[in-house]
Amino acid sequence: MSEIKSYEFYFSGTEDNRYFFVTKNDIAYEIKFKPFPYLFDSNEPFAQNTFEFVIAVFSNPNQQNLRLDSNMGITIAKIFDDFYERNNQTITIYICDTSDEKQFARERKFSRWFLAFQNENYLKTDAILLTSGEEVVPVSIIFRRDNPYKYQIMEAFEKLTDGFTHK
């Protein structure tokens, strides 16, 4: 049995705070923390520290099917740690893509990664957004437990999602 270890990753910076890594199957992933200051009211002191978390295939030269890779979760966790070390007041929102109707599979995978690799430094809350077209969109918000605005963040997130929490 192989040891679970993180892939080496590279932080390129840029406006979208991009990270890159390549898996053992030569699939390159791009992780972005895109500024998302308009999620919350701009008067909130934490609005400017809000980022949307995006996982995307950057390159798949052999057109392989994406399959379970046990090293991805720890790599994502280490990327989170790296990004939060740059600003401990960071707030991350993860909005599950609904384009292929696999949003709940994405939510489960992300939650498994979070549970497997979390430490007591982070808080995560899951909720459901209902779009104007009645589409159900799972979302998660993550921030550090020592964020001085944690109660205001939770209240603003609950207001944003109309209290539709999801377990």
Side-chain angles (χ1 to χ4, degrees):
M1 186 160 118
S2 64
E3 175 186 344
I4 297 176
K5 60 182 183 173
S6 87
Y7 292 113
E8 289 187 31
F9 56 87
Y10 167 72
F11 177 66
S12 71
T14 71
E15 181 182 331
D16 287 343
N17 304 291
R18 296 169 190 243
Y19 289 81
F20 295 92
F21 66 92
V22 178
T23 68
K24 61 188 171 200
N25 298 315
D26 292 323
I27 298 172
Y29 282 88
E30 175 183 43
I31 306 299
K32 294 186 258 186
F33 291 88
K34 295 170 45 176
F36 208 69
Y38 41 86
L39 178 67
F40 298 114
D41 185 313
S42 61
N43 294 327
E44 296 288 3
F46 50 82
Q48 294 301 314
N49 291 322
T50 305
F51 298 87
E52 179 185 12
F53 176 70
V54 178
I55 303 172
V57 173
F58 184 75
S59 172
N60 186 354
N62 300 321
Q63 299 302 309
Q64 296 182 46
N65 288 333
L66 303 178
R67 54 184 169 226
L68 183 63
D69 182 335
S70 57
N71 296 12
M72 288 232 357
I74 189 69
T75 305
I76 300 294
K78 288 188 180 278
I79 288 171
F80 257 84
D81 285 341
D82 185 78
F83 189 65
Y84 277 70
E85 282 179 21
R86 297 168 193 278
N87 179 356
N88 69 352
Q89 291 187 20
T90 293
I91 301 163
T92 304
I93 182 105
Y94 178 56
I95 303 169
C96 296
D97 178 22
T98 61
S99 62
D100 58 2
E101 298 184 5
K102 294 183 179 178
Q103 62 266 34
F104 289 105
R106 287 183 180 90
E107 179 202 22
R108 282 189 303 274
K109 181 181 283 187
F110 185 74
S111 290
R112 274 196 312 270
W113 287 343
F114 184 82
L115 288 173
F117 302 109
Q118 83 165 8
N119 61 43
E120 63 276 353
N121 292 331
Y122 298 101
L123 292 171
K124 176 177 170 281
T125 298
D126 301 318
I128 296 292
L129 289 177
L130 298 174
T131 67
S132 58
E134 298 299 311
E135 188 173 36
V136 177
V137 182
V139 296
S140 297
I141 192 166
I142 300 168
F143 53 92
R144 286 181 53 107
R145 196 175 291 276
D146 61 355
N147 189 309
Y149 303 108
K150 68 181 169 188
Y151 298 111
Q152 294 95 321
I153 294 166
M154 294 297 290
E155 184 177 317
F157 186 64
E158 186 173 313
K159 183 177 177 183
L160 177 74
T161 60
D162 292 327
F164 291 115
T165 57
H166 180 68
K167 301 281 181 201

